[in-house]
Amino acid sequence: GDAARVWDTVRIMPAVRVLVSDQAVLHAAFSSDGRQIITAPRWNGAALAQARVVDVETGKTLVNRIEHRGNVNFACFSPDGRWVLTGSSDKTARVWDSTTGQPVSAAMDHSIDVRHASFSPDGRRVVTASGSDVATIRRNPDGTVTRSNTQGQARVWDAATGKPVTEPLRHDSGVLWACFSPDGTRVVTAAGRLDLNASVGEARIWNAETGEAVAAPLKHLGPVRRATFSRDGRRLVTIGDYGVRIWDTASGEAVTEIGRPLPIMPGIKDAELSSDGRRLATATGGVIGARGEARLWDVETGQPLTPPMIHSQGIQDVDFSPDGILIVTGTGHDSPGRDKGEIRLWDATTGEPV
């Protein structure tokens, strides 16, 4: 069945089976103390999708009544672990009590799927991202053509009440990701769309209090799937279908461009900065049947530091261990019937399997 697992980093064996569910897990995140996990499941179309809080040591489900009528696309803990935040395809986001599963905030209503949501560093605000990354075209009986609306937006909300703090932060395409800067003063949004005529994407930086854009759009050839500030807030990493770029947040200039796969190849699925900001790990995959590769790059030069770390299928996630010594990669598909995958550990200096 579908499972989220915690792995022993020394023996590379499952330390404890955390969750087995009849729904695929689309996302899972640790609490800041590492003692709990929040899982975000796919909706099976019948019952409600239930996000679950699980005890890491025992595998016991602590809370299982965090419910949505659609895929729970993302879930995370507040910095202090008291609350969890969910974003769903039922067009809502919500803050919940992590110990009881009861709602803390009112539902934050959107006009389209909520793709991502995250807390501010102090836990008092949340930012949500909503929209679609695919434009559809319908030919009408009278010969005219109707294009689907792919406009998206992000918005900052009060975490306790669910009331908006800013006006919508609008893009001309679906907003796929949004998060705060480490000091909580800025928000970055990642957006883009795919259609028959063009594939476009951009990231934007906004004032988290006023909702005003503070820099020109940071352009990509294809949709930008993720954007993350460095820990000092001076750099921004954007992850697009055709590469990863690192930007100077003060000037808005691209510092480095990493990895430019051909359009017929699976794009970059995930990327993560090391804690010192000097290295970037990337993962490719997403096309069923294609192999996945993780690579480690020098942030300043854009040159690879290790040979490719190979999986037989696309890699969904990549991350550094807290001490930066290891890289963990995870594979699997989030489509029904294709839920098997694997987790591997690699030496972050040599790229060799551990």
mmCIF file of all heavy atoms in Angstrom, residues 294-315:
data_model
loop_
_atom_site.group_PDB
_atom_site.id
_atom_site.type_symbol
_atom_site.label_atom_id
_atom_site.label_comp_id
_atom_site.label_asym_id
_atom_site.label_seq_id
_atom_site.Cartn_x
_atom_site.Cartn_y
_atom_site.Cartn_z
ATOM 1 N N ALA A 294 20.178 12.942 -9.651
ATOM 2 C CA ALA A 294 20.462 14.030 -8.715
ATOM 3 C C ALA A 294 21.888 14.501 -8.989
ATOM 4 O O ALA A 294 22.755 13.711 -9.337
ATOM 5 C CB ALA A 294 20.319 13.562 -7.276
ATOM 6 N N ARG A 295 22.100 15.802 -8.868
ATOM 7 C CA ARG A 295 23.437 16.368 -9.059
ATOM 8 C C ARG A 295 23.713 17.376 -7.959
ATOM 9 O O ARG A 295 22.795 17.997 -7.412
ATOM 10 C CB ARG A 295 23.557 17.091 -10.418
ATOM 11 C CG ARG A 295 23.436 16.214 -11.639
ATOM 12 C CD ARG A 295 24.591 15.243 -11.793
ATOM 13 N NE ARG A 295 25.873 15.845 -12.048
ATOM 14 C CZ ARG A 295 26.411 16.013 -13.268
ATOM 15 N NH1 ARG A 295 25.720 15.654 -14.345
ATOM 16 N NH2 ARG A 295 27.613 16.513 -13.417
ATOM 17 N N LEU A 296 24.988 17.551 -7.652
ATOM 18 C CA LEU A 296 25.430 18.551 -6.694
ATOM 19 C C LEU A 296 26.234 19.602 -7.448
ATOM 20 O O LEU A 296 27.115 19.259 -8.244
ATOM 21 C CB LEU A 296 26.285 17.904 -5.601
ATOM 22 C CG LEU A 296 26.581 18.750 -4.359
ATOM 23 C CD1 LEU A 296 25.294 19.049 -3.605
ATOM 24 C CD2 LEU A 296 27.568 18.035 -3.451
ATOM 25 N N TRP A 297 25.928 20.896 -7.207
ATOM 26 C CA TRP A 297 26.506 21.986 -7.985
ATOM 27 C C TRP A 297 27.155 23.016 -7.069
ATOM 28 O O TRP A 297 26.713 23.234 -5.943
ATOM 29 C CB TRP A 297 25.427 22.687 -8.811
ATOM 30 C CG TRP A 297 24.583 21.787 -9.645
ATOM 31 C CD1 TRP A 297 23.492 21.068 -9.237
ATOM 32 C CD2 TRP A 297 24.757 21.504 -11.032
ATOM 33 N NE1 TRP A 297 22.976 20.351 -10.286
ATOM 34 C CE2 TRP A 297 23.714 20.597 -11.407
ATOM 35 C CE3 TRP A 297 25.660 21.918 -12.006
ATOM 36 C CZ2 TRP A 297 23.574 20.121 -12.693
ATOM 37 C CZ3 TRP A 297 25.518 21.448 -13.301
ATOM 38 C CH2 TRP A 297 24.486 20.558 -13.636
ATOM 39 N N ASP A 298 28.182 23.677 -7.602
ATOM 40 C CA ASP A 298 28.788 24.821 -6.937
ATOM 41 C C ASP A 298 27.940 26.054 -7.244
ATOM 42 O O ASP A 298 27.723 26.392 -8.408
ATOM 43 C CB ASP A 298 30.222 25.027 -7.424
ATOM 44 C CG ASP A 298 30.934 26.141 -6.697
ATOM 45 O OD1 ASP A 298 30.600 27.318 -6.963
ATOM 46 O OD2 ASP A 298 31.825 25.867 -5.885
ATOM 47 N N VAL A 299 27.438 26.720 -6.214
ATOM 48 C CA VAL A 299 26.523 27.832 -6.419
ATOM 49 C C VAL A 299 27.187 28.995 -7.147
ATOM 50 O O VAL A 299 26.580 29.634 -8.008
ATOM 51 C CB VAL A 299 25.939 28.301 -5.061
ATOM 52 C CG1 VAL A 299 25.244 29.645 -5.192
ATOM 53 C CG2 VAL A 299 24.982 27.257 -4.514
ATOM 54 N N GLU A 300 28.429 29.283 -6.843
ATOM 55 C CA GLU A 300 29.086 30.446 -7.439
ATOM 56 C C GLU A 300 29.444 30.230 -8.902
ATOM 57 O O GLU A 300 29.295 31.121 -9.729
ATOM 58 C CB GLU A 300 30.347 30.802 -6.635
ATOM 59 C CG GLU A 300 30.053 31.347 -5.249
ATOM 60 C CD GLU A 300 29.234 32.631 -5.281
ATOM 61 O OE1 GLU A 300 29.457 33.464 -6.183
ATOM 62 O OE2 GLU A 300 28.366 32.797 -4.409
ATOM 63 N N THR A 301 29.897 29.024 -9.239
ATOM 64 C CA THR A 301 30.373 28.774 -10.606
ATOM 65 C C THR A 301 29.335 28.096 -11.493
ATOM 66 O O THR A 301 29.430 28.157 -12.715
ATOM 67 C CB THR A 301 31.638 27.890 -10.584
ATOM 68 O OG1 THR A 301 31.296 26.574 -10.102
ATOM 69 C CG2 THR A 301 32.702 28.500 -9.683
ATOM 70 N N GLY A 302 28.370 27.413 -10.866
ATOM 71 C CA GLY A 302 27.400 26.657 -11.649
ATOM 72 C C GLY A 302 27.938 25.346 -12.185
ATOM 73 O O GLY A 302 27.286 24.691 -13.003
ATOM 74 N N GLN A 303 29.111 24.933 -11.720
ATOM 75 C CA GLN A 303 29.717 23.700 -12.198
ATOM 76 C C GLN A 303 29.330 22.520 -11.300
ATOM 77 O O GLN A 303 29.193 22.677 -10.087
ATOM 78 C CB GLN A 303 31.247 23.840 -12.223
ATOM 79 C CG GLN A 303 31.732 24.878 -13.206
ATOM 80 C CD GLN A 303 31.305 24.558 -14.630
ATOM 81 O OE1 GLN A 303 31.540 23.455 -15.130
ATOM 82 N NE2 GLN A 303 30.662 25.527 -15.279
ATOM 83 N N PRO A 304 29.187 21.318 -11.903
ATOM 84 C CA PRO A 304 28.851 20.137 -11.089
ATOM 85 C C PRO A 304 30.008 19.739 -10.189
ATOM 86 O O PRO A 304 31.176 19.817 -10.578
ATOM 87 C CB PRO A 304 28.543 19.062 -12.128
ATOM 88 C CG PRO A 304 29.262 19.504 -13.358
ATOM 89 C CD PRO A 304 29.256 21.005 -13.339
ATOM 90 N N LEU A 305 29.691 19.296 -8.972
ATOM 91 C CA LEU A 305 30.694 18.869 -8.004
ATOM 92 C C LEU A 305 30.800 17.359 -7.915
ATOM 93 O O LEU A 305 31.791 16.838 -7.395
ATOM 94 C CB LEU A 305 30.357 19.436 -6.616
ATOM 95 C CG LEU A 305 30.381 20.958 -6.483
ATOM 96 C CD1 LEU A 305 29.871 21.379 -5.104
ATOM 97 C CD2 LEU A 305 31.781 21.496 -6.726
ATOM 98 N N THR A 306 29.766 16.648 -8.367
ATOM 99 C CA THR A 306 29.757 15.189 -8.288
ATOM 100 C C THR A 306 29.229 14.616 -9.598
ATOM 101 O O THR A 306 28.569 15.313 -10.373
ATOM 102 C CB THR A 306 28.838 14.692 -7.143
ATOM 103 O OG1 THR A 306 27.481 15.051 -7.452
ATOM 104 C CG2 THR A 306 29.245 15.276 -5.815
ATOM 105 N N PRO A 307 29.505 13.336 -9.854
ATOM 106 C CA PRO A 307 28.838 12.664 -10.967
ATOM 107 C C PRO A 307 27.346 12.551 -10.676
ATOM 108 O O PRO A 307 26.913 12.736 -9.528
ATOM 109 C CB PRO A 307 29.499 11.277 -10.993
ATOM 110 C CG PRO A 307 30.710 11.392 -10.157
ATOM 111 C CD PRO A 307 30.440 12.456 -9.143
ATOM 112 N N PRO A 308 26.521 12.239 -11.687
ATOM 113 C CA PRO A 308 25.092 12.053 -11.440
ATOM 114 C C PRO A 308 24.836 10.918 -10.455
ATOM 115 O O PRO A 308 25.509 9.890 -10.465
ATOM 116 C CB PRO A 308 24.537 11.703 -12.828
ATOM 117 C CG PRO A 308 25.543 12.220 -13.789
ATOM 118 C CD PRO A 308 26.871 12.102 -13.112
ATOM 119 N N MET A 309 23.860 11.127 -9.584
ATOM 120 C CA MET A 309 23.390 10.105 -8.651
ATOM 121 C C MET A 309 22.116 9.523 -9.262
ATOM 122 O O MET A 309 21.096 10.210 -9.341
ATOM 123 C CB MET A 309 23.149 10.720 -7.271
ATOM 124 C CG MET A 309 24.439 11.179 -6.594
ATOM 125 S SD MET A 309 24.174 12.291 -5.170
ATOM 126 C CE MET A 309 24.364 13.897 -5.958
ATOM 127 N N ILE A 310 22.180 8.270 -9.712
ATOM 128 C CA ILE A 310 21.188 7.721 -10.631
ATOM 129 C C ILE A 310 20.140 6.885 -9.904
ATOM 130 O O ILE A 310 20.452 6.067 -9.037
ATOM 131 C CB ILE A 310 21.866 6.853 -11.710
ATOM 132 C CG1 ILE A 310 22.942 7.666 -12.449
ATOM 133 C CG2 ILE A 310 20.835 6.298 -12.682
ATOM 134 C CD1 ILE A 310 22.390 8.839 -13.219
ATOM 135 N N HIS A 311 18.874 7.092 -10.298
ATOM 136 C CA HIS A 311 17.764 6.211 -9.956
ATOM 137 C C HIS A 311 17.162 5.691 -11.255
ATOM 138 O O HIS A 311 17.253 6.326 -12.306
ATOM 139 C CB HIS A 311 16.684 6.960 -9.181
ATOM 140 C CG HIS A 311 16.971 7.158 -7.732
ATOM 141 N ND1 HIS A 311 16.574 6.265 -6.763
ATOM 142 C CD2 HIS A 311 17.604 8.164 -7.076
ATOM 143 C CE1 HIS A 311 16.947 6.714 -5.579
ATOM 144 N NE2 HIS A 311 17.573 7.866 -5.740
ATOM 145 N N SER A 312 16.506 4.546 -11.172
ATOM 146 C CA SER A 312 15.875 3.966 -12.361
ATOM 147 C C SER A 312 14.582 4.676 -12.744
ATOM 148 O O SER A 312 14.064 4.476 -13.834
ATOM 149 C CB SER A 312 15.586 2.475 -12.132
ATOM 150 O OG SER A 312 14.705 2.296 -11.039
ATOM 151 N N GLN A 313 14.036 5.497 -11.842
ATOM 152 C CA GLN A 313 12.842 6.272 -12.146
ATOM 153 C C GLN A 313 13.030 7.695 -11.657
ATOM 154 O O GLN A 313 14.002 8.011 -10.973
ATOM 155 C CB GLN A 313 11.606 5.642 -11.511
ATOM 156 C CG GLN A 313 11.673 5.487 -10.004
ATOM 157 C CD GLN A 313 10.419 4.852 -9.427
ATOM 158 O OE1 GLN A 313 9.324 5.353 -9.617
ATOM 159 N NE2 GLN A 313 10.582 3.736 -8.734
ATOM 160 N N GLY A 314 12.100 8.569 -12.040
ATOM 161 C CA GLY A 314 12.231 9.981 -11.724
ATOM 162 C C GLY A 314 12.307 10.259 -10.236
ATOM 163 O O GLY A 314 11.618 9.643 -9.429
ATOM 164 N N ILE A 315 13.155 11.219 -9.850
ATOM 165 C CA ILE A 315 13.332 11.602 -8.457
ATOM 166 C C ILE A 315 12.352 12.729 -8.138
ATOM 167 O O ILE A 315 12.293 13.738 -8.850
ATOM 168 C CB ILE A 315 14.778 12.046 -8.192
ATOM 169 C CG1 ILE A 315 15.753 10.913 -8.530
ATOM 170 C CG2 ILE A 315 14.952 12.484 -6.739
ATOM 171 C CD1 ILE A 315 17.208 11.321 -8.445
#
